[in-house]
């Protein structure tokens, strides 16, 4: 079985190392980011071995090593003989990968997005058009692990495993057997954890992605009222979360849940599963790694999978720290996360005051305009993956044109 890995970051390295343990699986890598591709390709050509160190839930460690069979930026070469595509790349790169792959999409192709970031399905609609209907396309809510790439092509670490990861197919008509067969292959590649589970409609997966709540919410909580002065200590991203930060997370989570419930109520025939609040999602994904489950505040600050994750910062010449607002927690999770949910909220007339506040803050940092006077009418909306940017302007259109 030949799998194409689209991406070259943390998750892509981890997947390649794990999947290469399967004797009947061969991995090609399609990398469209030249600086990383060149370094990975150089390591690969020098026959360096990609080594993965995994910190298990019980504190023990496991080590795996392996390499892909091919690393290239040529989609024709990358797709040769491929039966399954795995996209494990940032949301802002989805459009380009989908465009590059479109000429090689053929009936029966299996595509798995890990994660299928919020709005992924709209990008597929826009770029693959009718071709998408002949593809077995599945999206999952997030990466399977908390992980970090230490040295391109050579070393990566898994700090924590999610226990359960939810996913679902793009097409309502998709057969259950085809979907489960594809998921079983991915499960075999990543190992027993996390357990991959299916909901048979992917828009629910869009809402179930925790990252678009956690990342911009915690960035806003930490830096929303920042006075511009460097700080002496490099703050931990989760373990330094304040009560105010968690209030922001709870506000976003409540609004996302309200949008999900409104969709499920308005379109019961779609079998949409209203998503769980963030606190419950954390318990499901990281149950054994959370030391204090009292509430969302204690959960976020005691999840051992998060302990080593730091705020994205830049170091000043005098050794102090300032936030790095160019990091993906803003540049990805606002336009390809919160803006998408805001678009869905507009379609079902659900107010989102907390989401609006974080979008307005985020767009000001990026020099973008998505939200104007509380509505998605900004000049840069076309750069997002919200339904309106992909030509979907009514809820009936959204659910009637799968």
């Amino acid at each position: 079985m030949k799998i194409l890995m689209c991406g070259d970051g943390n998750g892509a390295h981890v997947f390649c190392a794990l999947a290469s343990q399967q004797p009947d699986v061969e991995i090609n890598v399609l990398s469209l980011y030249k600086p990383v591709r060149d370094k990975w390709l150089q390591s690969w050509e020098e026959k360096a071995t990609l080594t993965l160190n995994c910190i298990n839930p019980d504190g023990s460690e496991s080590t795996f090593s392996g390499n892909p069979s091919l690393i290239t930026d040529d989609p024709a070469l990358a797709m040769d003989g491929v039966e399954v595509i795995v996209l494990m790349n940032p949301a802002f790169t989805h459009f380009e990968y989908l465009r590059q792959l479109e000429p090689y999409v053929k009936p029966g192709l299996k595509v798995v997005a890990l994660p299928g970031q919020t709005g992924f399905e709209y990008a597929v609609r826009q770029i693959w058009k009718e071709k998408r209907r002949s593809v077995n396309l599945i999206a999952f809510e997030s990466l399977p692990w908390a992980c970090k790439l230490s040295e391109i092509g050579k070393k990566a670490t898994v700090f924590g495993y999610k226990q359960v990861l939810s996913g679902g197919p793009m097409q309502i008509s998709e057969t259950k057997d085809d979907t489960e067969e594809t998921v079983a292959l991915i499960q075999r590649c990543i190992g027993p954890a996390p357990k991959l589970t299916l909901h048979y409609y992917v828009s629910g997966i869009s809402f179930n992605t925790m990252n678009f709540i956690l990342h911009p919410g915690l960035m806003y909580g930490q830096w929303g009222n920042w006075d511009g002065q460097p700080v002496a200590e490099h703050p931990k991203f989760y373990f330094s979360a304040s009560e105010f930060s968690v209030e922001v997370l709870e506000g976003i989570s409540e609004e996302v849940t309200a949008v999900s419930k409104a969709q499920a109520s308005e379109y019961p025939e779609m079998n949409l599963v209203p998503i769980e609040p963030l606190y419950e999602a954390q318990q499901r994904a990281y149950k054994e790694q959370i030391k204090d489950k009292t509430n969302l505040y204690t959960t976020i600050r005691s999840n051992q999978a998060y302990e080593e994750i730091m705020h994205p910062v830049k170091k000043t010449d005098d050794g102090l720290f300032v936030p790095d607002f160019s990091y993906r927690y803003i540049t990805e999770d606002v336009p390809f996360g919160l803006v998408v949910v805001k678009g869905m909220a507009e379609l079902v007339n659900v107010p989102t005051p907390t989401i609006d506040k974080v979008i307005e803050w985020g767009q000001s940092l990026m020099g973008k305009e998505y939200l104007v006077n509380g509505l998605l009418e900004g000049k840069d909306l076309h750069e997002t993956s919200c339904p309106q940017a992909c030509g979907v302007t009514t809820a009936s259109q959204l659910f009637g044109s799968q």
Side-chain angles (χ1 to χ4, degrees), residues 342 346 350 352 356 360 363 370-377:
K342 174 64 178 178
E346 287 190 358
V350 172
T352 55
D356 292 0
E360 288 170 350
Q363 68 184 18
Y370 311 124
L371 203 60
V372 178
N373 297 322
L375 296 175
L376 289 177
E377 297 177 346

Side-chain angles (χ1 to χ4, degrees), residues 1 70-71 93 96 106 124 127 159 161 204 296 298:
M1 173 70 69
L70 175 72
I71 301 170
T93 67
E96 186 58 28
K106 56 187 178 182
V124 173
I127 296 168
F159 296 110
Y161 295 84
L296 183 59
T298 62

Side-chain angles (χ1 to χ4, degrees), residues 323-395:
D324 181 1
F325 293 132
S326 67
Y327 197 66
R328 62 183 175 87
Y329 290 174
I330 298 294
T331 59
E332 177 178 346
D333 290 305
V334 172
F336 300 99
L338 292 181
V339 171
V340 179
V341 174
K342 174 64 178 178
M344 293 179 175
E346 287 190 358
L347 297 181
V348 290
N349 299 310
V350 172
T352 55
T354 308
I355 289 174
D356 292 0
K357 187 183 301 183
V358 179
I359 291 175
E360 288 170 350
W361 177 71
Q363 68 184 18
S364 70
L365 296 174
M366 292 185 284
K368 299 292 185 179
E369 183 184 81
Y370 311 124
L371 203 60
V372 178
N373 297 322
L375 296 175
L376 289 177
E377 297 177 346
K379 62 181 177 58
D380 299 308
L381 193 64
H382 66 282
E383 298 176 2
T384 77
S385 57
C386 74
Q388 290 84 345
C390 298
V392 177
T393 57
T394 67

Side-chain angles (χ1 to χ4, degrees), residues 245-304:
S245 295
V246 175
E247 288 176 4
V248 174
L249 295 181
E250 290 174 331
I252 297 173
S253 177
E254 288 170 3
E255 291 165 14
V256 172
T257 302
V259 175
S260 173
K261 287 181 177 178
Q263 286 188 343
S265 175
E266 191 165 343
Y267 296 92
E269 70 277 10
M270 302 306 298
N271 194 29
L272 302 175
V273 181
I275 73 157
E276 57 201 350
L278 181 59
Y279 171 78
E280 294 175 16
Q282 284 278 308
Q283 305 305 318
R284 172 177 57 83
Y286 293 108
K287 182 178 180 182
E288 300 302 324
Q289 298 173 76
I290 297 169
K291 302 302 183 183
D292 186 344
K293 302 178 177 66
T294 303
N295 51 42
L296 183 59
Y297 176 75
T298 62
T299 291
I300 293 294
R301 291 173 59 95
S302 70
N303 185 342
Q304 298 307 298

Side-chain angles (χ1 to χ4, degrees), residues 134-149:
S134 64
V135 171
N136 180 225
L137 200 153
I138 306 165
F140 283 89
E141 59 186 314
S142 70
L143 279 176
W145 328 274
C147 57
K148 183 175 179 61
L149 176 60

Side-chain angles (χ1 to χ4, degrees), residues 16 26 33 46 57 77 109 111 157 213 293 344 398-399:
C16 285
E26 184 178 347
Y33 184 48
E46 292 173 352
L77 186 60
L109 182 67
V111 182
T157 302
I213 300 175
K293 302 178 177 66
M344 293 179 175
L398 176 65
F399 296 117

Side-chain angles (χ1 to χ4, degrees), residues 160-316:
Y161 295 84
K162 295 178 175 69
Q163 290 183 291
V164 178
L165 199 63
S166 294
M170 284 282 293
Q171 316 297 345
I172 295 172
S173 61
E174 199 67 72
T175 67
K176 183 175 180 180
D177 288 346
D178 284 347
T179 300
E180 291 185 345
E181 179 183 332
T182 304
V183 171
L185 170 65
I186 302 303
Q187 185 77 75
R188 187 158 61 88
C189 287
I190 67 172
K195 174 65 176 175
L196 303 179
T197 63
L198 288 169
H199 298 288
Y200 286 101
Y201 188 63
V202 79
S203 281
I205 303 308
S206 282
F207 284 114
N208 236 16
T209 303
M210 288 187 286
N211 287 348
F212 79 83
I213 300 175
L214 289 166
H215 293 166
L218 289 175
M219 287 291 285
Y220 179 80
Q222 181 77 24
W223 307 107
N225 296 313
W226 181 52
D227 62 5
Q229 295 301 308
V231 298
E233 295 185 8
H234 186 177
K236 290 192 171 185
F237 191 70
Y238 295 96
F239 276 38
S240 296
S242 64
E243 291 185 359
F244 171 71
S245 295
V246 175
E247 288 176 4
V248 174
L249 295 181
E250 290 174 331
I252 297 173
S253 177
E254 288 170 3
E255 291 165 14
V256 172
T257 302
V259 175
S260 173
K261 287 181 177 178
Q263 286 188 343
S265 175
E266 191 165 343
Y267 296 92
E269 70 277 10
M270 302 306 298
N271 194 29
L272 302 175
V273 181
I275 73 157
E276 57 201 350
L278 181 59
Y279 171 78
E280 294 175 16
Q282 284 278 308
Q283 305 305 318
R284 172 177 57 83
Y286 293 108
K287 182 178 180 182
E288 300 302 324
Q289 298 173 76
I290 297 169
K291 302 302 183 183
D292 186 344
K293 302 178 177 66
T294 303
N295 51 42
L296 183 59
Y297 176 75
T298 62
T299 291
I300 293 294
R301 291 173 59 95
S302 70
N303 185 342
Q304 298 307 298
Y306 290 157
E307 185 173 8
E308 301 300 323
I309 301 175
M310 310 298 289
H311 264 276
V313 297
K314 296 178 180 178
K315 203 168 186 177
T316 65

